[in-house]
Amino acid sequence: MNSDKITDKDILFMKKTLALAKRGEGMTSPNPAVGAILVKNEVIVGQGFHKRAGTPHAEVIALLEAGKKAEGSTLYVNLEPCCHYGKTPPCVNRIIQNKIKRVVIGMKDPNPLVNGKGIAALKKAGISVLTGVLETDAKKINEIFCKYITGGLPFVTMKAAITLDGKIASYSGSSRWITGEASRKFVHKLRFIHDAVMVGIGTVLNDDPLLTCRFSGKKEKPISRIIVDSRGRIPLNARVLNPATRHRTIIASTTGLPERKYNALEQKGAEIILTESDNGRVNILKLFTILGQRGICSVFLEGGGTLNSSIINNRLADKLFLFIAPKIIGGKEAPTWVEGKGIEDINAALMCTFSRQKRFGDDIMLEYYFNK
């Protein structure tokens, strides 16, 4: 229960806190993105954000910057302060030791090791606690962390670039480029905030992509590349198998993968995940369970119609970015972004919830959440 009411100042400083948290987005996995601001007499005396896993938490950085000014101040933080020992000591202890008067929190930490215990410890120490300030925004910043920490499965963001008539390529497979350069730059930004990018073998055979993260303004981030390849068709000279890229490559195949190809891929430095065959294809649900067990918290899916259909049918997709280019391809043999058998009754269609839209030149980007 909140100890006081939300004021306009609380909202103002929480917005600043959320902006700080976003500066660590994409770099903190498996930890959440957290910002912290210390305010005394309506003046910011210390601030910080979590930069990457294993480094000091946002609250600690803010407290160090504030020094003695921290005493009697209000701490704004978008996520409940931790109260357990991990790679760093509990933030709650530092907050209490520095005699913080009031703590304003965006959202409760869903981590079972915390989940209200941090708030309880602060209150027990006599600190006033206000929760739920801009909670919806706080949850969106850490939606990846929230899903992974509570269920162990990666958060899945699906991206598709389509023409006005819903095609992702011509009937011959030609697909470069459907969208413009501005859209493609934004896609690299989206890759940056995820742990891995996933494609089907068709994308590798048609385009031979690097699948790296080239987001300007940030240092190059090593990202896992996951290739779903049920029959082991990936060429050994594919660019994703080039060790010079210094990115982790995972080949997801079935137990029917020939031993010779398995060994050749391992020699190329690839990790191999094998699942039992699901009608000749990789068992997608089992694959994502294994990915979660291996510490991959989020997957940016840039698949074709077959892989997308499998992900959707297994209810694994969480978010969709649909880029629509002002082009018309036509042709009933031209691939669409969701294929497979499809549904028989329109009333069984999977519904999505609209989040936002944005223009990139002549392209339109639509963001949706998949209804579970």
Side-chain angles (χ1 to χ4, degrees), residues 94-339:
R94 296 286 291 266
I95 293 167
I96 295 170
Q97 291 165 6
N98 280 270
K99 299 179 181 180
I100 302 303
K101 182 179 181 181
R102 180 172 178 256
V103 178
V104 180
I105 298 169
M107 64 172 286
K108 188 164 71 171
D109 190 339
N111 185 342
L113 295 174
V114 186
N115 198 24
K117 298 182 184 72
I119 293 170
L122 293 171
K123 288 182 176 180
K124 186 178 180 180
I127 297 173
S128 174
V129 180
L130 176 64
T131 60
V133 179
L134 297 182
E135 185 173 13
T136 299
D137 295 329
K139 285 182 175 179
K140 184 163 186 176
I141 284 179
N142 278 310
E143 59 192 4
I144 288 173
F145 171 77
C146 291
K147 180 184 180 182
Y148 182 75
I149 202 67
T150 56
L153 286 175
F155 186 95
V156 180
T157 300
M158 182 177 287
K159 167 257 172 182
I162 66 172
T163 58
L164 290 174
D165 52 343
K167 308 296 185 181
I168 60 173
S170 70
Y171 73 89
S172 67
S174 174
S175 61
R176 285 193 172 186
W177 295 100
I178 285 180
T179 54
E181 185 178 354
S183 293
R184 299 198 298 274
K185 281 185 177 180
F186 186 72
V187 167
H188 278 276
K189 181 179 180 180
L190 294 175
R191 282 185 186 178
F192 184 85
I193 64 176
H194 292 80
D195 290 345
V197 58
M198 175 183 284
V199 299
I201 184 59
T203 299
V204 175
L205 294 176
N206 290 333
D207 301 334
D208 193 21
L210 274 172
L211 298 179
T212 52
C213 181
R214 302 179 297 279
F215 177 37
S216 61
K218 299 276 188 179
K219 292 182 179 179
E220 182 177 320
K221 173 189 171 182
I223 190 169
S224 297
R225 289 90 55 89
I226 305 167
I227 316 300
V228 181
D229 181 11
S230 303
R231 292 180 283 158
R233 292 187 291 155
I234 186 168
L236 294 178
N237 63 349
R239 294 203 295 169
V240 291
L241 294 175
N242 185 345
T245 60
R246 298 181 293 108
H247 293 274
R248 177 187 189 186
T249 298
I250 298 172
I251 307 297
S253 193
T254 68
T255 51
L257 179 69
E259 184 178 357
R260 184 176 178 181
K261 190 62 175 281
Y262 185 105
N263 293 336
L265 290 170
E266 274 201 328
Q267 288 176 2
K268 282 284 188 176
E271 295 179 36
I272 318 296
I273 295 177
L274 301 181
T275 74
E276 293 293 332
S277 175
D278 182 9
N279 292 319
R281 300 187 183 279
V282 170
N283 185 314
I284 289 295
L285 186 55
K286 180 64 176 176
L287 169 61
F288 274 83
T289 300
I290 295 171
L291 292 174
Q293 292 169 348
R294 294 193 181 186
I296 292 178
C297 303
S298 57
V299 172
F300 188 62
L301 179 66
E302 299 188 63
T306 301
L307 180 56
N308 288 346
S309 175
S310 182
I311 298 290
I312 289 173
N313 290 341
N314 281 280
R315 297 295 190 266
L316 288 166
D318 297 285
K319 183 190 275 192
L320 168 67
F321 285 93
L322 190 65
F323 293 82
I324 306 173
K327 300 175 182 177
I328 296 174
I329 290 178
K332 66 179 182 178
E333 300 301 324
T336 57
W337 69 280
V338 182
E339 297 188 339

Side-chain angles (χ1 to χ4, degrees), residues 83-98:
C83 56
H84 66 288
Y85 282 88
K87 291 184 178 179
T88 58
C91 290
V92 163
N93 295 358
R94 296 286 291 266
I95 293 167
I96 295 170
Q97 291 165 6
N98 280 270

